Amino acid sequence: MESASISKEAISSHGLTEQEYYNIINILGREPNLIELGVFSVMWSEHCSYKSSKVHLKKFPTKGPAVVHGPGENAGVVDIGDNQVAVFKMESHNHPSFIEPYQGAATGVGGILRDVFTMGARPVALLNSLRFGSPEHPKTKFLVEGVVRGIAGYGNCFGCPTVGGEVYFHPSYTLNPLVNAFCLGVADRDKIFLGRAEGVGNSVIYVGSKTGRDGIHGATMASQSFDDEAEAKKPTVQVGDPFTEKLLLEACLEVMKQDTVIGIQDMGAAGLTSSAVEMAGRAGNGILIDLSKVPARETKMTPYEFLLSESQERMLLVVKKGFESQVKEIFDKWDLDMAVIGEVTPDGKFRVVFEDKEVANIPVKALTEAAPVYERPVREYPAEGFDSVSRKIDESLSLEEIIKTLVTSPNLCSRKWIYRQYDHQVRTDTVVLPGGDAAVIRVKGTPKALAITTDCNSRYCFKDPFLGAQLAVVEAARNLACVGAKPLGLTDCLNFGNPEKPHVMWQFQKSVEGISQACRKFSIPVVSGNVSFYNETNEEAIYPTPGIGMVGLLSDIELRMTHAFQNVGDVIVLLGESLNSPHDESLGASEYLALIHHSEEGLLPKLDLELEKKVQETLLDVISQKLICSAHDCSEGGLAIALLESAFPKNLGVKIQYSKNIRKDVLFFGESPSRVVVSCVPQKLSALKERIQKYHIPFEMIGEVSGDGFFMWGQDVHLKIESLKKNWENAFESLLH
C-alpha cells in the first residue's frame, strides 16, 4: 500500500485542519493515502465524531428504570412492559434539504427508518420538525413544497404513518431550512439487535441496494457552513427509493428471526466506512473489507467512492460463519443484493482491499476513540431586547382584529395542508390524528398506546438558550400529559450555527444544560439524539433550535384525551395561571408581539419547574379518573388561540368570563407556561375541583362551551367560529400561493 503526499488544498477540501492532519500522520506513523484521508475526513467530521459537542452531551441524564439502551446505539430503547420496548430517534437532514429539498427530506426519512429497524423494531410512526425562512422569500415556497413532498413520498410509499410534527417560519432559516425526522418503532425486548462486529472470523455481509456515486462526502458537507455556491453541492445529496427500503425492512426483520445475525447497522452518514468502523469499534475488534465484492450500480468506481458513497437503502450485517447461504436465501427472496464482503478480525484494524491490493490500513480506535474532541471557546452573547416590552404595545388594534390576524399567522394556522399529504393512518394504529397536542399510536395486541410529540420555540432559545431549552422539554412533556401519557424518554436534534464561533458554543452549552436540568426534574432520560452544527450561510446562523422529541406511555388506550371540546354546556377550566409582571414576561418573544408589533423584544415567560410538574401530575390524575372531556396545552398564541383550537374541531362556541387585574393583551395572548385548558361536564365539576386542590396548583373556571357558534370573551370579543376556522384552515396554503 502506497502513501501519498497530500496538499494543503486536499486537506482543507476534506474538512480537516492542518493540526488534525499532523495528528493522523502521528497515529499512522506515515502520511495517509488519499483513500485513508477520505476515511479520516468523514469519521472525524463533526457529523460523525461529535467533536465539538461531546464534552457537553455528557451532562445529559441517560439512565432510568425504563432505559434499555441509551445513547451510543443506532436508536434509544425504553421498556413499555409486557416484554416490549419502544425504539426511537430523531435526526437532521438540513443541508441536503436546502440543496435538493425533495430528496434531502426523503432520504432523511429513509435514514431514520433504518436507524430504528436496524435495532430489530418495526417502525410504527414518523414525525418531523421543520423550519423555513420568511414566507415572503421567493425560495420558501419551493423549499416547503419540496420538503413536504419528500417526506410524504418516502413515508407513504414505505408504509409508515406520518402522524404529527411541527413547522415554524422565521427569517433566520431563509437559507438554512431545518428538516428533522423522528421515527418510533416497537420490538420485543429480548430481540433487540445492536451494531457490533463481534466474533472473530464471522462474516461481514452487505445487503440492500447497489452502491453508486451519490452522497459522496455527505457527512463532510453536513459539517460545513454554506455560501452562495451551496447549490453546486447537489452530488452530495443521496437519492432514495422507499419501495426498496420496504423490502429491506421485511428482509432484515425476517433474517433477524434466525439465530444467525450477530450485529447489524445501516449505512447512513459516511456509508460503508462509518458502519464498518463503528461496528468494529463497539466490539473492540478489527474488520476487513474487500471492495471488489461490493455490489455496484456504476462502472469503474474507485475505492474512495465505494467507501464514502452514501447511497441509500443499504445495511451491513455481521453473521455467524457458515450461515451465509441461509442469509442469502432470505435476501434473494426479497429481490435484494447480498454479498459477503469481509470478516471480523482480531487485529483492531480497519483494513480495506480492492482488486487484491490493500488500499487502507487504519487502527479502528484512531477513527473512533482517537477522533479529536474540542472544548471550544464559549462566550456569552445575549440577544438584544431584554428590556420590558411595554413601550411596544399599540392600542390602535382591537382584540378582535388581533385574533383574526393571529389565526392566519404562519406559525399558528392549521397545518392541514401539510398533514393531508401524509398517509397518517396506514397500519390502522393511529388513534389520535395530526393536529392535536401529541399523536397517539396503538400498541397492537395490547390495551397500551404510545404518545409522541416534537417541540421547540426557537425565538425563546435565541433570547435565552438555557430557559428556551427548558421550555421545549416541559412543553413536550405537557403535550404528552394532555393526551394522557406519562413521558418515558427523550430524543433530541440540536440544530445550531458554526461551533467555532464562541457565541454559538455558548448557545449550545446553555441549551444542553437547560435540557439536562429539566429532564432531571421530570426524571426523563435522554436516550438518543443528533447534533447538527454549521447551520449558517454567508456567516448568518439560524436561531438555536434544540428540537425535542418525546415518547410517553398510556397504559389504557381508552383513557386517551383529545384537545377538542366535546359537549355544549361543558365547563372550561384553566389549570395554571396567566401571569403578569412589571416586565410583561409572558409577552416576551411571543407570537403576538412578533406578528402584531413586529418585535421580538422582552424577557421570556418565567418557568417554575415545580409548578409545571404539579400541573402535569394533576392533569394525568384527572384524566385517569375520567373527570375531564378535553385537555389542550396553552403555548404559542396564548390562551385565546388555545381556546379557539379546542373549539374548531366540532365547530362549538366558547363563552369566556375570565378577567384578571392584568393588561388584556397579556391575558389574551401572553405565553405563560404551565397552563392547560380542560373541559368537563357540569356534573363532574365538584369532583374535578376536589381532585385539583389536592395538588395545590392554581386553577380557575373561565367559561363554558356553547352551541351558538361564537367565540365570546366578556364584552371585548364576539366573533363567529366558522369564519375564524375557515381562515385558520386556509391560511397555510394561501401563504404559499
Side-chain angles (χ1 to χ4, degrees):
M1 184 183 67
E2 297 178 1
S3 297
S5 181
I6 305 294
S7 67
K8 288 184 178 180
E9 290 75 16
I11 296 167
S12 176
S13 67
H14 280 77
L16 295 164
T17 66
E18 286 191 43
Q19 184 57 56
E20 287 171 344
Y21 182 69
Y22 294 140
N23 292 344
I24 292 169
I25 293 174
N26 289 333
I27 288 168
L28 297 179
R30 57 178 173 79
E31 282 200 283
N33 61 35
L34 187 61
I35 296 166
E36 292 170 326
L37 186 72
V39 169
F40 273 104
S41 167
V42 292
M43 293 307 300
W44 283 16
S45 69
E46 193 72 58
H47 193 76
C48 291
S49 74
Y50 288 69
K51 58 189 176 186
S52 298
S53 58
K54 269 185 181 177
V55 294
H56 300 290
L57 298 178
K58 292 176 182 177
K59 300 169 186 173
F60 284 149
T62 58
K63 300 185 184 302
V67 177
V68 179
H69 291 291
E73 295 296 337
N74 290 294
V77 182
V78 295
D79 195 297
I80 60 172
D82 305 313
N83 193 42
Q84 289 182 303
V85 292
V87 181
F88 58 96
K89 190 180 184 182
M90 185 157 68
E91 281 220 351
S92 62
H93 231 222
N94 305 335
H95 283 48
S97 299
F98 173 61
I99 297 169
E100 213 299 301
Y102 182 91
Q103 290 296 348
T107 53
V109 172
I112 201 66
L113 284 164
R114 290 193 302 278
D115 277 339
V116 167
F117 74 71
T118 192
M119 303 288 292
R122 180 175 289 279
V124 296
L126 291 162
L127 284 83
N128 49 72
S129 177
L130 311 176
R131 299 290 185 280
F132 299 102
S134 169
E136 291 78 29
H137 192 278
K139 192 162 185 177
T140 298
K141 176 187 174 183
F142 166 73
L143 291 171
V144 172
E145 291 183 337
V147 165
V148 171
R149 282 192 306 107
I151 292 169
Y154 207 99
N156 294 355
C157 294
F158 179 86
C160 186
T162 302
V163 296
E166 56 168 8
V167 57
Y168 289 98
F169 295 83
H170 189 274
S172 75
Y173 304 104
T174 295
L175 298 177
N176 290 273
L178 301 186
V179 177
N180 294 177
F182 173 105
C183 182
L184 168 72
V186 175
D188 292 339
R189 177 167 180 158
D190 56 0
K191 294 177 182 174
I192 291 293
F193 286 81
L194 304 178
R196 298 173 187 269
E198 294 181 331
V200 171
N202 282 331
S203 294
V204 176
I205 294 178
Y206 172 115
V207 299
S209 294
K210 291 179 169 62
T211 296
R213 292 186 170 94
D214 50 327
I216 292 173
H217 269 302
T220 306
M221 179 267 289
S223 305
Q224 296 172 340
S225 298
F226 278 165
D227 55 26
D228 292 329
E229 304 301 317
E231 293 191 8
K233 298 187 178 185
K234 283 193 177 182
T236 62
V237 179
Q238 313 95 319
V239 177
D241 179 354
F243 297 106
T244 298
E245 179 117 330
K246 173 64 171 173
L247 298 177
L248 187 59
L249 162 72
E250 300 299 343
C252 286
L253 292 181
E254 183 174 339
V255 80
M256 286 170 173
K257 293 178 182 177
Q258 314 283 335
D259 187 26
T260 59
V261 177
I262 301 297
I264 180 170
Q265 180 148 325
D266 79 296
M267 296 189 209
L272 177 57
T273 292
S274 66
S275 55
V277 169
E278 289 172 5
M279 290 180 78
R282 293 190 192 110
N285 286 321
I287 195 164
L288 173 65
I289 300 294
D290 185 349
L291 297 177
S292 306
K293 298 177 180 178
V294 173
R297 71 166 185 261
E298 299 183 44
T299 60
K300 297 182 180 179
M301 286 190 65
T302 66
Y304 186 97
E305 292 168 333
F306 274 118
L307 286 172
L308 302 189
S309 167
E310 293 183 9
S311 293
Q312 296 291 284
E313 294 86 41
R314 303 179 301 158
M315 307 283 275
L316 198 65
L317 280 64
V318 173
V319 172
K320 289 180 182 178
K321 189 73 174 175
F323 288 87
E324 297 85 357
S325 60
Q326 195 172 316
V327 173
K328 185 174 185 346
E329 187 177 326
I330 291 172
F331 282 92
D332 282 349
K333 183 182 85 170
W334 290 99
D335 199 24
L336 293 167
D337 279 290
M338 178 274 191
V340 179
I341 64 168
E343 66 178 9
V344 180
T345 61
D347 58 9
K349 300 284 187 68
F350 176 53
R351 292 170 51 225
V352 182
V353 297
F354 181 66
E355 296 178 349
D356 299 324
K357 287 181 60 178
E358 186 175 85
V359 294
N361 187 328
I362 306 170
V364 169
K365 288 184 178 180
L367 299 169
T368 55
E369 296 175 22
V373 176
Y374 297 126
E375 191 158 358
R376 296 196 185 275
V378 172
R379 184 178 66 249
E380 184 173 352
Y381 186 75
E384 295 178 359
F386 269 66
D387 58 339
S388 166
V389 298
S390 299
R391 59 188 176 83
K392 287 287 181 182
I393 302 308
D394 179 2
E395 301 294 347
S396 64
L397 290 173
S398 71
L399 292 169
E400 288 187 342
E401 289 172 313
I402 293 169
I403 290 170
K404 289 177 182 177
T405 302
L406 283 176
V407 295
T408 63
S409 159
N411 294 330
L412 298 178
C413 65
S414 170
R415 272 67 177 118
K416 188 176 180 180
W417 181 86
I418 295 179
Y419 63 72
R420 72 185 180 191
Q421 298 184 54
Y422 303 151
D423 188 342
H424 46 264
Q425 290 181 291
V426 65
R427 298 186 55 79
T428 68
D429 291 327
T430 310
V431 293
V432 173
L433 303 180
D437 291 279
V440 179
I441 296 290
R442 177 188 295 108
V443 180
K444 263 191 167 66
T446 79
K448 298 177 296 192
L450 292 168
I452 39 183
T453 185
T454 56
D455 288 283
C456 182
N457 186 319
S458 54
R459 266 204 298 260
Y460 289 175
C461 295
F462 178 68
K463 284 291 181 188
D464 184 337
F466 179 85
L467 181 54
Q470 284 193 321
L471 288 164
V473 172
V474 300
E475 184 180 351
R478 196 184 317 130
N479 283 338
L480 296 183
C482 282
V483 298
K486 183 175 175 57
L488 287 176
L490 178 153
T491 183
D492 57 55
C493 202
L494 308 178
N495 306 273
F496 291 82
N498 184 345
E500 297 164 49
K501 296 180 178 179
H503 75 274
V504 171
M505 279 312 299
W506 173 75
Q507 292 172 337
F508 182 82
Q509 175 188 308
K510 302 310 289 186
S511 294
V512 168
E513 291 172 356
I515 293 169
S516 299
Q517 186 182 95
C519 284
R520 292 183 195 280
K521 180 67 177 179
F522 282 73
S523 301
I524 302 172
V526 179
V527 298
S528 60
N530 170 239
V531 177
S532 176
F533 278 132
Y534 296 97
N535 289 291
E536 61 178 64
T537 299
N538 295 331
E539 302 295 316
E540 291 294 323
I542 62 165
Y543 271 14
T545 312
I548 301 298
M550 199 176 289
V551 174
L553 178 67
L554 291 85
S555 57
D556 182 356
I557 196 171
E558 297 304 320
L559 292 175
R560 67 188 182 276
M561 190 53 55
T562 175
H563 72 291
F565 291 145
Q566 296 296 306
N567 315 293
V568 173
D570 282 357
V571 180
I572 301 171
V573 179
L574 177 65
L575 301 183
E577 186 176 18
S578 299
L579 301 176
N580 190 27
S581 79
H583 295 292
D584 307 319
E585 280 99 335
S586 60
L587 286 183
S590 66
E591 186 65 23
Y592 157 73
L593 205 64
L595 192 68
I596 304 300
H597 301 288
H598 311 292
S599 168
E600 296 186 1
E601 292 190 1
L603 297 167
L604 292 190
K606 289 182 178 178
L607 173 63
D608 180 338
L609 288 174
E610 187 60 37
L611 172 61
E612 177 74 46
K613 189 175 181 183
K614 285 182 179 180
V615 168
Q616 294 185 26
E617 289 171 348
T618 305
L619 185 57
L620 289 171
D621 188 6
V622 298
I623 290 173
S624 71
Q625 298 300 312
K626 301 183 179 180
L627 294 176
I628 63 174
C629 302
S630 70
H632 188 28
D633 167 39
C634 187
S635 54
E636 289 95 346
L639 182 56
I641 295 300
L643 290 165
L644 285 170
E645 288 173 342
S646 296
F648 285 156
K650 293 196 170 187
N651 299 309
L652 292 170
V654 179
K655 289 182 180 178
I656 301 299
Q657 295 295 333
Y658 176 48
S659 60
K660 289 174 64 100
N661 188 27
I662 61 177
R663 279 194 348 226
K664 287 183 178 177
D665 55 358
V666 174
L667 182 63
F668 277 57
F669 313 116
E671 297 178 2
S672 300
S674 313
R675 296 183 300 163
V676 179
V677 173
V678 304
S679 64
C680 76
V681 296
Q683 298 91 318
K684 293 186 178 182
L685 181 59
S686 178
L688 176 63
K689 289 167 65 175
E690 184 179 334
R691 204 80 186 180
I692 294 171
Q693 286 167 344
K694 289 183 178 181
Y695 289 88
H696 305 289
I697 65 167
F699 72 99
E700 197 163 349
M701 276 64 72
I702 64 172
E704 67 176 10
V705 180
S706 68
D708 60 7
F710 282 91
F711 178 47
M712 293 185 286
W713 194 321
Q715 302 300 313
D716 296 297
V717 175
H718 190 276
L719 294 168
K720 198 170 184 179
I721 289 287
E722 184 182 1
S723 176
L724 288 172
K725 180 180 177 181
K726 183 178 180 181
N727 292 337
W728 175 74
E729 285 191 327
N730 295 333
F732 197 95
E733 192 166 1
S734 298
L735 288 168
L736 301 175
H737 294 94

